[in-house]
């Protein structure tokens, strides 16, 4: 992974650093957001500092409740078990979302991470991640993949299952709880059968 990437000149001017993936490289669960948060741009850790209304951090709190993140770990150095986090784009513009061209330019990094991690479950966080991952890794037409309709559902993919999530910062408490319950149920199943194997 290139820490000095200059492939998107506009983003190079606005970022603090390149934010590549972070977490357990043997993970079964790979979460993909659209772009780094402001705190992630400072710390280099994807999804860092996603404060909810009570400041507890959106996705991190979800992962803690599932037992996938150590609740005692520092906010900027989370300790994940069976989870890897990344984004469609590695750099942040504070004033706008990434362009389609920027997402395409960053795609080799994402593809390399997916090959390296070889997860069982891909979790697109937000509409943009669902559209990109759904197009690449499922046979479902892109126009049929939408949030909130596909939130907390299981979508069969090519080599993976997708379990889309409304970003906890954007969804209601009820939507986040529904995803938590669906994912906890998935974790209790032999989800590894999605790739025809029982263990690594």
């Amino acid at each position: 992974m290139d820490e000095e990437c200059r492939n998107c000149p506009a983003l190079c001017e606005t970022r603090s650093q390149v934010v590549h993936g972070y977490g357990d490289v043997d993970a079964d669960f790979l979460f993909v957001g659209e772009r780094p948060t402001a705190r992630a741009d400072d710390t280099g850790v994807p999804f860092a500092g996603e404060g909810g209304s009570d400041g507890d951090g959106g996705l991190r709190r979800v992962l803690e409740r599932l037992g996938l993140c150590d609740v005692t770990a520092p906010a900027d150095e989370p300790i994940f078990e069976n989870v890897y986090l990344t984004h469609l784009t590695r750099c942040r513009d504070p004033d706008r979302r990434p362009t389609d061209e920027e997402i395409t330019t960053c795609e080799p990094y994402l593809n390399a991470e997916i090959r390296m991690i070889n997860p069982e479950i891909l979790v697109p966080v937000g509409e943009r991640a669902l559209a990109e991952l759904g197009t690449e890794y499922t046979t479902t037409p892109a126009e049929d993949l939408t949030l909130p309709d596909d939130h907390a559902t299981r979508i069969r993919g090519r080599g993976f299952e997708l379990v889309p999530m409304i970003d906890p910062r954007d969804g209601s408490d009820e939507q986040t709880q529904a995803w938590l319950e669906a994912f906890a149920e998935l974790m209790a199943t032999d989800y590894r059968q999605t790739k025809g194997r029982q263990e690594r």
Side-chain angles (χ1 to χ4, degrees), residues 82-113:
N82 215 13
V83 168
Y84 192 85
L85 306 180
T86 193
H87 294 105
L88 297 175
T89 57
R90 310 296 149 133
C91 301
R92 176 179 174 82
D93 185 311
D95 300 320
R96 65 170 177 86
R97 298 170 66 186
T99 65
D100 290 343
E101 181 181 1
E102 287 164 348
I103 287 176
T104 299
T105 299
C106 249
E107 195 172 357
Y109 292 132
L110 177 63
N111 290 340
E113 286 175 335

mmCIF file of all heavy atoms in Angstrom, residues 82-113:
data_model
loop_
_atom_site.group_PDB
_atom_site.id
_atom_site.type_symbol
_atom_site.label_atom_id
_atom_site.label_comp_id
_atom_site.label_asym_id
_atom_site.label_seq_id
_atom_site.Cartn_x
_atom_site.Cartn_y
_atom_site.Cartn_z
ATOM 1 N N ASN A 82 -11.369 -10.532 14.089
ATOM 2 C CA ASN A 82 -12.160 -11.034 12.974
ATOM 3 C C ASN A 82 -12.795 -9.923 12.140
ATOM 4 O O ASN A 82 -13.764 -10.152 11.431
ATOM 5 C CB ASN A 82 -13.237 -12.012 13.472
ATOM 6 C CG ASN A 82 -13.496 -13.134 12.480
ATOM 7 O OD1 ASN A 82 -12.738 -13.337 11.537
ATOM 8 N ND2 ASN A 82 -14.579 -13.855 12.681
ATOM 9 N N VAL A 83 -12.253 -8.709 12.243
ATOM 10 C CA VAL A 83 -12.789 -7.553 11.517
ATOM 11 C C VAL A 83 -11.654 -6.778 10.864
ATOM 12 O O VAL A 83 -10.600 -6.571 11.474
ATOM 13 C CB VAL A 83 -13.555 -6.604 12.468
ATOM 14 C CG1 VAL A 83 -13.861 -5.269 11.792
ATOM 15 C CG2 VAL A 83 -14.843 -7.241 12.942
ATOM 16 N N TYR A 84 -11.888 -6.336 9.642
ATOM 17 C CA TYR A 84 -10.965 -5.454 8.931
ATOM 18 C C TYR A 84 -11.798 -4.309 8.357
ATOM 19 O O TYR A 84 -12.901 -4.540 7.823
ATOM 20 C CB TYR A 84 -10.266 -6.219 7.811
ATOM 21 C CG TYR A 84 -9.093 -5.495 7.190
ATOM 22 C CD1 TYR A 84 -7.826 -5.564 7.746
ATOM 23 C CD2 TYR A 84 -9.257 -4.746 6.027
ATOM 24 C CE1 TYR A 84 -6.738 -4.910 7.168
ATOM 25 C CE2 TYR A 84 -8.178 -4.087 5.440
ATOM 26 C CZ TYR A 84 -6.928 -4.178 6.018
ATOM 27 O OH TYR A 84 -5.855 -3.531 5.445
ATOM 28 N N LEU A 85 -11.307 -3.079 8.476
ATOM 29 C CA LEU A 85 -12.025 -1.893 8.014
ATOM 30 C C LEU A 85 -11.260 -1.204 6.891
ATOM 31 O O LEU A 85 -10.037 -1.094 6.948
ATOM 32 C CB LEU A 85 -12.182 -0.880 9.157
ATOM 33 C CG LEU A 85 -12.817 -1.342 10.462
ATOM 34 C CD1 LEU A 85 -12.873 -0.178 11.446
ATOM 35 C CD2 LEU A 85 -14.198 -1.909 10.236
ATOM 36 N N THR A 86 -11.999 -0.714 5.910
ATOM 37 C CA THR A 86 -11.364 0.042 4.836
ATOM 38 C C THR A 86 -12.406 0.943 4.169
ATOM 39 O O THR A 86 -13.568 0.990 4.589
ATOM 40 C CB THR A 86 -10.699 -0.915 3.821
ATOM 41 O OG1 THR A 86 -9.850 -0.152 2.961
ATOM 42 C CG2 THR A 86 -11.712 -1.687 2.998
ATOM 43 N N HIS A 87 -11.977 1.657 3.118
ATOM 44 C CA HIS A 87 -12.862 2.575 2.401
ATOM 45 C C HIS A 87 -12.696 2.423 0.892
ATOM 46 O O HIS A 87 -11.675 1.912 0.427
ATOM 47 C CB HIS A 87 -12.535 4.034 2.754
ATOM 48 C CG HIS A 87 -12.809 4.390 4.167
ATOM 49 N ND1 HIS A 87 -11.812 4.552 5.094
ATOM 50 C CD2 HIS A 87 -13.971 4.617 4.830
ATOM 51 C CE1 HIS A 87 -12.348 4.875 6.259
ATOM 52 N NE2 HIS A 87 -13.652 4.911 6.126
ATOM 53 N N LEU A 88 -13.675 2.937 0.163
ATOM 54 C CA LEU A 88 -13.569 2.978 -1.293
ATOM 55 C C LEU A 88 -12.431 3.897 -1.716
ATOM 56 O O LEU A 88 -11.711 3.613 -2.669
ATOM 57 C CB LEU A 88 -14.870 3.487 -1.916
ATOM 58 C CG LEU A 88 -16.132 2.655 -1.709
ATOM 59 C CD1 LEU A 88 -17.334 3.383 -2.306
ATOM 60 C CD2 LEU A 88 -15.989 1.265 -2.318
ATOM 61 N N THR A 89 -12.286 5.026 -1.026
ATOM 62 C CA THR A 89 -11.192 5.957 -1.308
ATOM 63 C C THR A 89 -10.337 6.125 -0.065
ATOM 64 O O THR A 89 -10.822 5.974 1.061
ATOM 65 C CB THR A 89 -11.703 7.347 -1.753
ATOM 66 O OG1 THR A 89 -12.570 7.875 -0.746
ATOM 67 C CG2 THR A 89 -12.443 7.262 -3.068
ATOM 68 N N ARG A 90 -9.072 6.441 -0.270
ATOM 69 C CA ARG A 90 -8.106 6.478 0.823
ATOM 70 C C ARG A 90 -7.847 7.879 1.339
ATOM 71 O O ARG A 90 -7.159 8.044 2.342
ATOM 72 C CB ARG A 90 -6.771 5.884 0.344
ATOM 73 C CG ARG A 90 -6.934 4.533 -0.335
ATOM 74 C CD ARG A 90 -7.457 3.555 0.679
ATOM 75 N NE ARG A 90 -8.300 2.531 0.115
ATOM 76 C CZ ARG A 90 -8.176 1.254 0.389
ATOM 77 N NH1 ARG A 90 -7.200 0.845 1.152
ATOM 78 N NH2 ARG A 90 -9.029 0.387 -0.077
ATOM 79 N N CYS A 91 -8.325 8.885 0.650
ATOM 80 C CA CYS A 91 -8.015 10.272 1.000
ATOM 81 C C CYS A 91 -9.304 11.065 1.142
ATOM 82 O O CYS A 91 -10.323 10.726 0.542
ATOM 83 C CB CYS A 91 -7.115 10.903 -0.060
ATOM 84 S SG CYS A 91 -5.561 10.019 -0.280
ATOM 85 N N ARG A 92 -9.236 12.127 1.914
ATOM 86 C CA ARG A 92 -10.437 12.886 2.259
ATOM 87 C C ARG A 92 -10.380 14.323 1.763
ATOM 88 O O ARG A 92 -9.377 15.013 1.941
ATOM 89 C CB ARG A 92 -10.611 12.891 3.778
ATOM 90 C CG ARG A 92 -11.783 13.725 4.270
ATOM 91 C CD ARG A 92 -11.915 13.669 5.784
ATOM 92 N NE ARG A 92 -12.939 14.585 6.262
ATOM 93 C CZ ARG A 92 -14.231 14.315 6.271
ATOM 94 N NH1 ARG A 92 -14.660 13.141 5.842
ATOM 95 N NH2 ARG A 92 -15.105 15.221 6.708
ATOM 96 N N ASP A 93 -11.471 14.738 1.155
ATOM 97 C CA ASP A 93 -11.739 16.156 0.936
ATOM 98 C C ASP A 93 -12.830 16.517 1.937
ATOM 99 O O ASP A 93 -13.898 15.902 1.927
ATOM 100 C CB ASP A 93 -12.215 16.414 -0.492
ATOM 101 C CG ASP A 93 -12.380 17.901 -0.778
ATOM 102 O OD1 ASP A 93 -13.022 18.596 0.049
ATOM 103 O OD2 ASP A 93 -11.894 18.373 -1.817
ATOM 104 N N PRO A 94 -12.575 17.472 2.819
ATOM 105 C CA PRO A 94 -13.565 17.760 3.869
ATOM 106 C C PRO A 94 -14.860 18.363 3.345
ATOM 107 O O PRO A 94 -15.875 18.350 4.044
ATOM 108 C CB PRO A 94 -12.831 18.755 4.781
ATOM 109 C CG PRO A 94 -11.786 19.366 3.913
ATOM 110 C CD PRO A 94 -11.382 18.305 2.937
ATOM 111 N N ASP A 95 -14.845 18.872 2.115
ATOM 112 C CA ASP A 95 -15.998 19.606 1.605
ATOM 113 C C ASP A 95 -16.848 18.846 0.598
ATOM 114 O O ASP A 95 -17.881 19.337 0.172
ATOM 115 C CB ASP A 95 -15.531 20.918 0.959
ATOM 116 C CG ASP A 95 -14.799 21.803 1.946
ATOM 117 O OD1 ASP A 95 -15.235 21.876 3.115
ATOM 118 O OD2 ASP A 95 -13.779 22.402 1.559
ATOM 119 N N ARG A 96 -16.409 17.662 0.200
ATOM 120 C CA ARG A 96 -17.189 16.931 -0.813
ATOM 121 C C ARG A 96 -16.937 15.435 -0.725
ATOM 122 O O ARG A 96 -15.945 14.986 -0.160
ATOM 123 C CB ARG A 96 -16.831 17.425 -2.211
ATOM 124 C CG ARG A 96 -15.386 17.118 -2.605
ATOM 125 C CD ARG A 96 -15.114 17.403 -4.069
ATOM 126 N NE ARG A 96 -13.720 17.174 -4.402
ATOM 127 C CZ ARG A 96 -13.204 15.995 -4.747
ATOM 128 N NH1 ARG A 96 -13.984 14.911 -4.783
ATOM 129 N NH2 ARG A 96 -11.919 15.868 -5.052
ATOM 130 N N ARG A 97 -17.859 14.694 -1.303
ATOM 131 C CA ARG A 97 -17.707 13.248 -1.402
ATOM 132 C C ARG A 97 -16.809 12.929 -2.591
ATOM 133 O O ARG A 97 -16.636 13.754 -3.492
ATOM 134 C CB ARG A 97 -19.086 12.606 -1.569
ATOM 135 C CG ARG A 97 -19.988 12.857 -0.377
ATOM 136 C CD ARG A 97 -21.406 12.427 -0.641
ATOM 137 N NE ARG A 97 -21.477 10.977 -0.813
ATOM 138 C CZ ARG A 97 -22.587 10.338 -1.181
ATOM 139 N NH1 ARG A 97 -23.686 11.017 -1.444
ATOM 140 N NH2 ARG A 97 -22.574 9.023 -1.294
ATOM 141 N N PRO A 98 -16.227 11.731 -2.626
ATOM 142 C CA PRO A 98 -15.335 11.394 -3.742
ATOM 143 C C PRO A 98 -16.090 11.283 -5.063
ATOM 144 O O PRO A 98 -17.272 10.923 -5.097
ATOM 145 C CB PRO A 98 -14.743 10.045 -3.336
ATOM 146 C CG PRO A 98 -15.676 9.492 -2.309
ATOM 147 C CD PRO A 98 -16.290 10.659 -1.617
ATOM 148 N N THR A 99 -15.398 11.599 -6.138
ATOM 149 C CA THR A 99 -15.974 11.454 -7.467
ATOM 150 C C THR A 99 -15.902 9.989 -7.904
ATOM 151 O O THR A 99 -15.156 9.184 -7.321
ATOM 152 C CB THR A 99 -15.207 12.302 -8.487
ATOM 153 O OG1 THR A 99 -13.865 11.782 -8.593
ATOM 154 C CG2 THR A 99 -15.161 13.767 -8.078
ATOM 155 N N ASP A 100 -16.664 9.649 -8.930
ATOM 156 C CA ASP A 100 -16.592 8.287 -9.476
ATOM 157 C C ASP A 100 -15.171 7.979 -9.949
ATOM 158 O O ASP A 100 -14.670 6.866 -9.775
ATOM 159 C CB ASP A 100 -17.571 8.125 -10.642
ATOM 160 C CG ASP A 100 -19.025 8.140 -10.181
ATOM 161 O OD1 ASP A 100 -19.277 7.942 -8.970
ATOM 162 O OD2 ASP A 100 -19.908 8.350 -11.031
ATOM 163 N N GLU A 101 -14.514 8.975 -10.538
ATOM 164 C CA GLU A 101 -13.150 8.776 -11.036
ATOM 165 C C GLU A 101 -12.191 8.481 -9.886
ATOM 166 O O GLU A 101 -11.315 7.615 -10.001
ATOM 167 C CB GLU A 101 -12.684 10.016 -11.802
ATOM 168 C CG GLU A 101 -11.284 9.876 -12.376
ATOM 169 C CD GLU A 101 -10.827 11.120 -13.124
ATOM 170 O OE1 GLU A 101 -11.591 12.101 -13.191
ATOM 171 O OE2 GLU A 101 -9.690 11.097 -13.634
ATOM 172 N N GLU A 102 -12.347 9.179 -8.769
ATOM 173 C CA GLU A 102 -11.478 8.948 -7.613
ATOM 174 C C GLU A 102 -11.699 7.551 -7.030
ATOM 175 O O GLU A 102 -10.733 6.874 -6.638
ATOM 176 C CB GLU A 102 -11.714 10.031 -6.560
ATOM 177 C CG GLU A 102 -11.128 11.373 -6.978
ATOM 178 C CD GLU A 102 -11.645 12.553 -6.188
ATOM 179 O OE1 GLU A 102 -12.634 12.397 -5.445
ATOM 180 O OE2 GLU A 102 -11.059 13.652 -6.324
ATOM 181 N N ILE A 103 -12.940 7.114 -6.999
ATOM 182 C CA ILE A 103 -13.222 5.761 -6.507
ATOM 183 C C ILE A 103 -12.597 4.723 -7.432
ATOM 184 O O ILE A 103 -11.986 3.751 -6.980
ATOM 185 C CB ILE A 103 -14.747 5.550 -6.363
ATOM 186 C CG1 ILE A 103 -15.251 6.331 -5.150
ATOM 187 C CG2 ILE A 103 -15.084 4.068 -6.222
ATOM 188 C CD1 ILE A 103 -16.749 6.280 -4.942
ATOM 189 N N THR A 104 -12.705 4.952 -8.729
ATOM 190 C CA THR A 104 -12.103 4.028 -9.694
ATOM 191 C C THR A 104 -10.581 4.007 -9.557
ATOM 192 O O THR A 104 -9.947 2.952 -9.623
ATOM 193 C CB THR A 104 -12.499 4.425 -11.126
ATOM 194 O OG1 THR A 104 -13.925 4.344 -11.247
ATOM 195 C CG2 THR A 104 -11.860 3.505 -12.153
ATOM 196 N N THR A 105 -9.982 5.172 -9.342
ATOM 197 C CA THR A 105 -8.528 5.264 -9.189
ATOM 198 C C THR A 105 -8.061 4.492 -7.954
ATOM 199 O O THR A 105 -6.991 3.878 -7.959
ATOM 200 C CB THR A 105 -8.098 6.734 -9.090
ATOM 201 O OG1 THR A 105 -8.480 7.410 -10.296
ATOM 202 C CG2 THR A 105 -6.598 6.864 -8.915
ATOM 203 N N CYS A 106 -8.861 4.498 -6.901
ATOM 204 C CA CYS A 106 -8.505 3.811 -5.652
ATOM 205 C C CYS A 106 -8.853 2.315 -5.674
ATOM 206 O O CYS A 106 -8.436 1.579 -4.776
ATOM 207 C CB CYS A 106 -9.254 4.453 -4.485
ATOM 208 S SG CYS A 106 -8.216 5.367 -3.348
ATOM 209 N N GLU A 107 -9.599 1.892 -6.667
ATOM 210 C CA GLU A 107 -10.094 0.518 -6.683
ATOM 211 C C GLU A 107 -9.006 -0.552 -6.555
ATOM 212 O O GLU A 107 -9.208 -1.556 -5.868
ATOM 213 C CB GLU A 107 -10.920 0.292 -7.960
ATOM 214 C CG GLU A 107 -11.756 -0.939 -7.935
ATOM 215 C CD GLU A 107 -12.699 -1.011 -9.130
ATOM 216 O OE1 GLU A 107 -12.740 -0.065 -9.948
ATOM 217 O OE2 GLU A 107 -13.382 -2.041 -9.250
ATOM 218 N N PRO A 108 -7.836 -0.375 -7.175
ATOM 219 C CA PRO A 108 -6.797 -1.406 -7.002
ATOM 220 C C PRO A 108 -6.400 -1.638 -5.546
ATOM 221 O O PRO A 108 -6.087 -2.764 -5.159
ATOM 222 C CB PRO A 108 -5.624 -0.872 -7.827
ATOM 223 C CG PRO A 108 -6.255 -0.004 -8.865
ATOM 224 C CD PRO A 108 -7.420 0.633 -8.169
ATOM 225 N N TYR A 109 -6.397 -0.590 -4.721
ATOM 226 C CA TYR A 109 -6.080 -0.755 -3.303
ATOM 227 C C TYR A 109 -7.144 -1.616 -2.615
ATOM 228 O O TYR A 109 -6.838 -2.522 -1.850
ATOM 229 C CB TYR A 109 -5.987 0.602 -2.595
ATOM 230 C CG TYR A 109 -4.813 1.450 -3.011
ATOM 231 C CD1 TYR A 109 -4.985 2.786 -3.347
ATOM 232 C CD2 TYR A 109 -3.528 0.928 -3.039
ATOM 233 C CE1 TYR A 109 -3.909 3.587 -3.708
ATOM 234 C CE2 TYR A 109 -2.438 1.722 -3.404
ATOM 235 C CZ TYR A 109 -2.641 3.046 -3.739
ATOM 236 O OH TYR A 109 -1.574 3.825 -4.091
ATOM 237 N N LEU A 110 -8.418 -1.299 -2.898
ATOM 238 C CA LEU A 110 -9.510 -2.067 -2.292
ATOM 239 C C LEU A 110 -9.461 -3.521 -2.740
ATOM 240 O O LEU A 110 -9.582 -4.442 -1.922
ATOM 241 C CB LEU A 110 -10.859 -1.439 -2.649
ATOM 242 C CG LEU A 110 -12.090 -2.193 -2.134
ATOM 243 C CD1 LEU A 110 -12.112 -2.240 -0.613
ATOM 244 C CD2 LEU A 110 -13.371 -1.535 -2.667
ATOM 245 N N ASN A 111 -9.268 -3.726 -4.031
ATOM 246 C CA ASN A 111 -9.209 -5.096 -4.547
ATOM 247 C C ASN A 111 -8.048 -5.872 -3.922
ATOM 248 O O ASN A 111 -8.183 -7.064 -3.608
ATOM 249 C CB ASN A 111 -9.085 -5.088 -6.067
ATOM 250 C CG ASN A 111 -10.357 -4.622 -6.748
ATOM 251 O OD1 ASN A 111 -11.434 -4.650 -6.159
ATOM 252 N ND2 ASN A 111 -10.243 -4.183 -7.992
ATOM 253 N N ALA A 112 -6.913 -5.203 -3.734
ATOM 254 C CA ALA A 112 -5.761 -5.864 -3.115
ATOM 255 C C ALA A 112 -6.075 -6.257 -1.672
ATOM 256 O O ALA A 112 -5.708 -7.348 -1.223
ATOM 257 C CB ALA A 112 -4.535 -4.949 -3.164
ATOM 258 N N GLU A 113 -6.766 -5.380 -0.951
ATOM 259 C CA GLU A 113 -7.137 -5.704 0.430
ATOM 260 C C GLU A 113 -8.113 -6.868 0.484
ATOM 261 O O GLU A 113 -7.988 -7.762 1.322
ATOM 262 C CB GLU A 113 -7.733 -4.476 1.123
ATOM 263 C CG GLU A 113 -6.687 -3.450 1.485
ATOM 264 C CD GLU A 113 -7.269 -2.178 2.052
ATOM 265 O OE1 GLU A 113 -8.444 -1.850 1.755
ATOM 266 O OE2 GLU A 113 -6.547 -1.491 2.777
#
